[in-house]
Amino acid sequence: MHESPEERARIMEWRRLERQRLIDARLKMPVSDRQAASVSIAAGLDAAWRNAGRLLPGTVLSAYWPLRGEPDLRPWLGTLHEQGLVCVLPVVVEKAAPLAFRRWSPGCAMEKGFWNIPVPADPAAFTPQLLVSPVVGFDPGCYRLGYGGGYFDRTLARLQAQHLDFQVLGVGYAMARLETIHPLPHDIPLQGVITEERAWSR
């Protein structure tokens, strides 16, 4: 994965175009299809981690607030909250920095964060043990095409540097699968990706 500046520029432009194509495609999906896929994806996540004995009371699990047609996992998070897990959402605290995580529960106070994304208002910070990452695209190696800001990769790099015990799974629609995202040195593969059709792992 040692590329020339010219090759890197070509890859980044390809990613920009693919990102827009995939976002446009998922926004064109009927709402009912997205809702059904979200239920299937949540069930896949639950099975993967419950079978591994990871969904225990007190476990800190990070998900996300759905935007731009992303799978909506909030009903599943509400169930996990009732089961005693600590559900948190990512918060951008400053540009080009790792994400912070704040506790979320159904009906909790929210405020506008960066780019007007709703985030929990309580500033208390948590360190997730399980992370759910939405993907714009993904490949069979579980490399993730995100929105291009690099926040999630920086967050994973920080957690790895701290030698923390954590697991990360991506979620997205089956139509988001690519042959490759053309990984670059800063890209960190996920441990798996769950779609409405199947689970991918590396």
Side-chain angles (χ1 to χ4, degrees), residues 84-100:
L85 280 81
V86 178
C87 299
V88 299
L89 299 183
V91 179
V92 174
V93 290
E94 60 179 291
K95 288 188 176 182
L99 297 163

Side-chain angles (χ1 to χ4, degrees), residues 24-38 69 173:
D24 289 345
R26 77 185 184 198
L27 286 172
K28 290 176 182 175
M29 290 173 63
V31 172
S32 59
D33 288 357
R34 290 206 302 263
Q35 290 173 336
S38 296
Y173 304 114

Side-chain angles (χ1 to χ4, degrees), residues 115-128:
W115 307 293
N116 290 323
I117 298 173
V119 299
D122 187 339
F126 292 80
T127 300

Side-chain angles (χ1 to χ4, degrees), residues 50-197:
R50 203 169 293 281
N51 291 341
R54 302 285 301 202
L55 295 183
L56 303 175
T59 298
V60 181
L61 183 147
S62 166
Y64 58 90
W65 191 270
L67 300 168
R68 303 175 79 180
E70 292 172 336
D72 186 354
L73 304 179
R74 288 174 294 182
W76 177 62
L77 292 181
T79 299
L80 295 181
H81 169 72
E82 292 173 359
Q83 294 172 354
L85 280 81
V86 178
C87 299
V88 299
L89 299 183
V91 179
V92 174
V93 290
E94 60 179 291
K95 288 188 176 182
L99 297 163
F101 296 89
R102 296 180 182 177
R103 188 167 191 172
W104 174 90
S105 60
C108 75
M110 303 287 285
E111 62 185 21
K112 289 183 178 180
F114 269 63
W115 307 293
N116 290 323
I117 298 173
V119 299
D122 187 339
F126 292 80
T127 300
Q129 297 159 283
L130 304 176
L131 295 93
V132 179
S133 171
V135 304
V136 176
F138 70 98
D139 65 22
C142 295
Y143 281 97
R144 166 185 180 270
L145 178 66
Y147 289 106
Y151 290 97
F152 203 77
D153 284 324
R154 293 187 193 97
T155 303
L156 293 183
R158 182 185 65 182
L159 293 174
Q160 287 180 346
Q162 294 173 337
H163 303 289
L164 298 175
D165 175 26
F166 71 95
Q167 293 188 356
V168 54
L169 294 176
V171 295
Y173 304 114
M175 50 78 64
R177 187 184 74 84
L178 302 166
E179 290 302 316
T180 179
I181 72 158
H182 303 287
L184 294 169
H186 67 269
D187 291 310
I188 299 175
L190 307 174
Q191 290 165 314
V193 177
I194 307 291
T195 74
E196 74 275 24
E197 293 184 356

